[in-house]
Amino acid sequence: MKKRMLGLAVLFALVIGQYVSPMAVSAEEITAGTKQYQTNFTETSLSGGNTYMQQFFQIENYWHVASVDVHLDYKVSQLTQNERSNLTLMINGTPFHSFRPIEQAVGGQQLTVHVPPEMIVKGVNSLTVQGHLETSSPIVQNTCLPTDTRDNWLQIAKTSRIAVNYTTESIQLSIRDFNQHFIGMGTVKEGQNAIAVPKAGNLAELEAATYVVSGYAKANPVTDKAIPLIEYSPDNVKGKQTVILVSLFDDLPEDMKSLVQSNNLENTALIQLIKQADHDILVITSADAGLLVKAGRLAANQTLLSQIDADRKVVDNTTEVDTPTVNVSRTMTLTETGDKLTGDRHQEKAYFISLPGNRSIADASKLRITYRYARNLDFDRSMVTVLINDTPIGSKKLSTELADNDHMDLIIPKTLNISGNFTVKLAFDLELKNTNCLENQGQMPWAFIEKDSMLQLNTKDKADLLFNNYPYPFLRDGSYNKVAVVLPKDKDPYIYQTLTNLFNLLGRYAQTNTGEVLYFQDNVSAQQLKGREIIAIGSYKDNQVIRDQNNKLYFRYDQSGRGFVSNEKMSIDASYGTRMGTLQLLDSPYESGFGLLAVTGSESKYMYLASKLIGSEGTLWKVFGDGVVTDIDGNIHAFRFKKETAAESSNVLTDVLERRDVLGFMTAALLVALLVLLSLIMMIRKYNKKRGDRR
């Protein structure tokens, strides 16, 4: 009896060993100094007999990977036939682990698997979870019966993750290597980087630092973690592995001035890497404010920065630092070389289309997809669907006659209201005949998307001052649009955190480093703010622009300036009015056609709370209209105060001018009509002349 119990215990231990806790990691693999980076899955629900999903994860070039573990939390249908069902894990298309779901498992299942290290590559890796699930067994052998796959489902929980255990190489003495470490995923995720300016920073230093923040924000691989802008001090940079210090030479800390290797900073700027005991600092400095700003623009050009192998770069008036201008092309190719999809049933290919945040798709935009596919499909059940931002815009059945040269022409619906970046997805359903009865004998179906698949875009500016259109008006065609930032005279840490939020998101949308962001103190003159898109940060008491424009704000301060008062949209208790922050987007009082964003609250911590709403794409969707209120409890209230303009009546001439195909046809028709009219006139004149000769 004891032997039997011991055998059961050993069997139980083996089962538990296979399905270990997701956090279990071997001591040999995780040594002192080893770090871990986790990539979490998105919660996914898959259905059908054959299902799969992909999760991507990154390996940085300077990582030495100790191990990679896949922690899978999942559920499968309770009706699953365990002996006929299986799940397979693949890395970069190569399978490395297969298993069957636990028989009659209650609740969720867990699995931890070590990935063979030789299968991991530097850069982007893909993990595929592929399942073959059956919930019914054949009743009669050799008989083909219709199947219902609605009960064949697999749910992968968002607690599933890929854990990369690694050590890092030390930063080499080159700006390029520092740059890689600075925007490395582990560095950003752990908050070990920062961009700093001297305490009570000069306005030119803030401008240069803003360009640096914007450039790194766009390159930041961790979308939910901002790169902070801070005041430089030993306490603020403590625990940071990489720091970029943007400073005029006179404002540099004394211990760094002696390390800066340049004697001509009146006529040049310098970008220099300085290695210290506990962190590495990239110093951007000059004695000239204009050259400091230019060096900041170079640091915002990731292409140039990644090419500098030396530990220092001198910038002068002749140095080229600008990124290429953004061309909003009317015609875009989806793929340069063509794309092949292989496998039966549902297969997808997505294409990312980059468009400036202020541009939206106008009427008569078209999509032409050319493709070919295998001839061994079940053409009664095979089709292709085109989706934009996961909204279907058209489908077409596949057919034997068109297998070698098929195409779809679609007009992008105006009702999609697409603006900024979007995705075009092609979803093929490649069904084989009798797949419920016969195994696939290697006759894998395929589809090929041709390289002449094109997107013809007509775009227009979004000109409404609404958070629905943010980051307009501060960005235009990928560049900062003459932005003026008005700050209080005294800047506390919340001011810097607010700037961090604002320019990490704006920087993600900024596609060039050529736009302009100027900083002003709150006593700025009205003349200096003319012709600019304004961001005013502060309270009634410490920002004169907000104080002077209080009667124009949607949420106004009381006479004492201590808190907000009620308006036509929201009743506000006097006490609550002192504990809320607001975002207000209104017409500029300094010149028509421009906007003013007030990021304000009675105290700077409430102003910072408001800025968090426009600090990342994950929170931006929560704001709309032109006036938003938030508080420390996370309550958000968004309103529209501007009156909606009446819908424009259809203008036939405008519609025709936007449709170049129709315009060409009408031009040709008009020319033909003119020729006919000229012919008639000539014939009438000739006829009249003959009648005159007879007389």
Side-chain angles (χ1 to χ4, degrees):
M1 182 69 176
K2 289 182 179 180
K3 289 183 179 180
R4 184 177 179 185
M5 292 296 293
L6 180 61
L8 289 172
V10 170
L11 180 60
F12 180 77
L14 289 173
V15 171
I16 295 299
Q18 182 182 6
Y19 297 93
V20 294
S21 166
M23 296 307 296
V25 180
S26 134
E28 289 112 19
E29 292 168 344
I30 305 301
T31 59
T34 300
K35 302 177 181 179
Q36 185 177 92
Y37 185 86
Q38 294 187 359
T39 301
N40 288 85
F41 284 57
T42 53
E43 188 147 345
T44 307
S45 183
L46 305 172
S47 61
N50 291 306
T51 61
Y52 80 98
M53 63 87 64
Q54 277 187 309
Q55 181 66 49
F56 296 95
F57 63 99
Q58 178 102 5
I59 301 294
E60 300 287 358
N61 288 331
Y62 59 90
W63 287 1
H64 292 300
V65 177
S67 64
V68 177
D69 303 317
V70 177
H71 307 300
L72 202 63
D73 296 336
Y74 66 97
K75 293 180 182 180
V76 293
S77 171
Q78 294 86 348
L79 303 178
T80 299
Q81 297 290 319
N82 301 96
E83 71 282 358
R84 297 176 60 84
S85 301
N86 60 74
L87 295 173
T88 296
L89 305 181
M90 295 186 288
I91 287 287
N92 299 322
T94 303
F96 69 94
H97 187 81
S98 295
F99 61 99
R100 299 190 189 281
I102 300 175
E103 188 172 358
Q104 296 179 349
V106 178
Q109 302 182 39
Q110 295 182 328
L111 174 70
T112 296
V113 179
H114 299 294
V115 180
E118 64 273 10
M119 300 178 72
I120 304 298
V121 299
K122 299 285 188 182
V124 178
N125 293 258
S126 67
L127 170 72
T128 303
V129 180
Q130 183 171 304
H132 173 71
L133 307 174
E134 292 191 18
T135 55
S136 61
S137 55
I139 302 173
V140 182
Q141 289 187 348
N142 301 323
T143 301
C144 180
L145 298 175
T147 59
D148 186 348
T149 60
R150 286 175 297 178
D151 296 328
N152 302 349
W153 54 263
L154 168 69
Q155 293 179 350
I156 298 176
K158 62 183 178 182
T159 52
S160 300
R161 58 202 177 276
I162 302 163
V164 179
N165 304 300
Y166 67 95
T167 57
T168 62
E169 297 177 2
S170 59
I171 297 176
Q172 303 302 308
L173 202 60
S174 79
I175 293 174
R176 178 178 62 83
D177 197 54
F178 172 90
N179 190 57
Q180 285 187 344
H181 282 71
F182 189 89
I183 55 173
M185 293 184 301
T187 308
V188 178
K189 195 78 171 180
E190 295 168 17
Q192 294 181 340
N193 61 358
I195 297 166
V197 294
K199 194 165 186 177
N202 179 284
L203 297 178
E205 292 168 339
L206 279 172
E207 180 186 352
T210 297
Y211 300 140
V212 180
V213 169
S214 298
Y216 277 101
K218 187 165 181 62
N220 183 2
V222 186
T223 58
D224 60 347
K225 186 80 172 182
I227 297 174
L229 176 64
I230 62 173
E231 276 189 337
Y232 183 83
S233 71
D235 288 339
N236 285 349
V237 300
K238 189 176 182 180
K240 307 289 185 184
Q241 289 188 348
T242 54
V243 177
I244 298 174
L245 174 58
V246 183
S247 172
L248 289 168
F249 182 75
D250 289 343
D251 295 335
L252 280 175
E254 291 300 323
D255 60 332
M256 287 190 194
K257 285 184 179 180
S258 60
L259 299 174
V260 172
Q261 302 173 10
S262 179
N263 299 320
N264 188 26
L265 289 177
E266 290 80 13
N267 300 311
T268 62
L270 181 68
I271 302 175
Q272 181 178 333
L273 177 59
I274 296 176
K275 297 184 73 67
Q276 296 192 335
D278 53 349
H279 54 252
D280 296 287
I281 298 180
L282 187 68
V283 176
I284 302 175
T285 189
S286 176
D288 181 84
L291 286 169
L292 179 69
V293 168
K294 186 168 186 177
R297 291 188 189 277
L298 190 151
N301 188 331
Q302 284 291 306
T303 302
L304 289 180
L305 215 60
S306 64
Q307 297 170 1
I308 304 174
D309 278 330
D311 65 337
R312 58 198 298 269
K313 171 69 177 178
V314 176
V315 179
D316 59 26
N317 288 318
T318 64
T319 306
E320 294 290 338
V321 302
D322 292 348
T323 55
T325 57
V326 176
N327 293 318
V328 183
S329 176
R330 189 169 181 271
T331 303
M332 300 180 183
T333 56
L334 295 183
T335 170
E336 294 294 332
T337 58
D339 292 306
K340 185 178 181 180
L341 294 85
T342 304
D344 59 348
R345 306 200 182 186
H346 194 77
Q347 305 290 336
E348 294 181 348
K349 181 65 180 179
Y351 300 97
F352 179 80
I353 307 298
S354 179
L355 200 64
N358 67 296
R359 307 292 294 183
S360 61
I361 295 181
D363 290 344
S365 294
K366 297 178 182 178
L367 187 61
R368 180 179 178 84
I369 309 294
T370 58
Y371 51 94
R372 45 194 170 89
Y373 39 85
R375 290 180 171 274
N376 62 331
L377 300 173
D378 182 350
F379 290 107
D380 290 330
R381 300 189 298 138
S382 298
M383 64 185 297
V384 59
T385 300
V386 179
L387 306 95
I388 292 185
N389 288 346
D390 291 324
T391 300
I393 64 170
S395 296
K396 184 179 179 180
K397 282 187 67 176
L398 308 185
S399 65
T400 309
E401 297 79 13
L402 298 174
D404 296 328
N405 185 20
D406 206 344
H407 74 278
M408 288 180 69
D409 290 311
L410 298 168
I411 294 177
I412 300 176
K414 184 180 178 180
T415 53
L416 291 181
N417 294 323
I418 297 170
S419 59
N421 302 329
F422 63 97
T423 57
V424 175
K425 183 185 293 183
L426 273 63
F428 286 85
D429 291 297
L430 306 174
E431 301 288 345
L432 291 174
K433 293 182 178 179
N434 301 323
T435 50
N436 297 322
C437 311
L438 302 174
E439 292 186 1
N440 187 345
Q441 300 296 328
Q443 299 178 13
M444 192 65 70
W446 56 268
F448 188 85
I449 302 165
E450 300 284 3
K451 63 181 180 181
D452 58 350
S453 297
M454 305 289 288
L455 182 62
Q456 179 182 308
L457 279 181
N458 297 319
T459 63
K460 62 182 179 182
D461 263 330
K462 296 186 302 180
D464 292 332
L465 280 175
L466 298 170
F467 288 112
N468 311 57
N469 299 333
Y470 193 82
Y472 177 84
F474 306 104
L475 288 173
R476 187 180 182 90
D477 291 342
S479 295
Y480 284 116
N481 186 22
K482 296 183 178 179
V483 177
V485 182
V486 184
L487 298 178
K489 181 180 179 181
D490 298 321
K491 297 178 279 296
D492 65 13
Y494 284 117
I495 293 287
Y496 287 98
Q497 291 177 44
T498 298
L499 293 174
T500 294
N501 288 332
L502 291 174
F503 287 102
N504 267 268
L505 181 64
L506 289 172
R508 282 196 170 274
Y509 285 98
Q511 296 173 277
T512 74
N513 65 351
T514 56
E516 187 177 61
V517 180
L518 295 183
Y519 281 83
F520 299 93
Q521 287 191 354
D522 69 305
N523 59 355
V524 58
S525 69
Q527 185 63 32
Q528 289 175 292
L529 295 179
K530 287 188 68 175
R532 295 196 172 275
E533 309 292 353
I534 304 162
I535 301 175
I537 299 171
S539 69
Y540 180 94
K541 295 181 178 180
D542 63 17
N543 193 310
Q544 183 177 319
V545 169
I546 293 174
R547 187 163 57 249
D548 290 347
Q549 305 306 323
N550 185 49
N551 63 341
K552 294 185 176 67
L553 296 179
Y554 303 129
F555 291 93
R556 296 173 185 147
Y557 285 94
D558 59 27
Q559 291 182 349
S560 67
R562 293 184 61 252
F564 296 99
V565 296
S566 301
N567 57 27
E568 70 271 24
K569 299 285 186 179
M570 183 176 179
S571 298
I572 300 174
D573 177 75
S575 175
Y576 184 74
T578 65
R579 296 179 284 108
M580 59 183 245
T582 73
L583 299 171
Q584 304 183 54
L585 190 55
L586 52 150
D587 293 319
S588 170
Y590 305 101
E591 186 171 345
S592 62
F594 293 85
L596 186 152
L597 170 63
V599 185
T600 182
S602 61
E603 297 180 34
S604 56
K605 62 181 178 181
Y606 301 121
M607 165 203 71
Y608 159 69
L609 286 176
S611 74
K612 290 174 67 175
L613 297 176
I614 50 175
S616 72
E617 292 172 329
T619 55
L620 184 59
W621 66 271
K622 298 178 181 179
V623 301
F624 56 88
D626 46 19
V628 182
V629 170
T630 188
D631 60 29
I632 200 167
D633 296 321
N635 298 309
I636 300 168
H637 306 281
F639 306 97
R640 175 168 181 157
F641 290 86
K642 295 185 187 74
K643 293 181 180 179
E644 294 190 42
T645 56
E648 295 181 3
S649 58
S650 179
N651 188 320
V652 175
L653 180 59
T654 302
D655 292 343
V656 168
L657 290 175
E658 288 181 353
R659 293 288 302 270
R660 295 194 179 185
D661 52 346
V662 176
L663 183 61
F665 174 78
M666 292 190 66
T667 302
L670 183 59
L671 288 173
V672 171
L674 285 173
L675 288 172
V676 171
L677 182 60
L678 286 172
S679 299
L680 285 172
I681 292 172
M682 291 178 69
M683 288 176 65
I684 292 171
R685 290 183 62 187
K686 184 177 179 182
Y687 177 74
N688 289 338
K689 186 178 180 182
K690 285 182 178 181
R691 289 185 61 186
D693 291 344
R694 288 173 187 167
R695 292 176 183 173

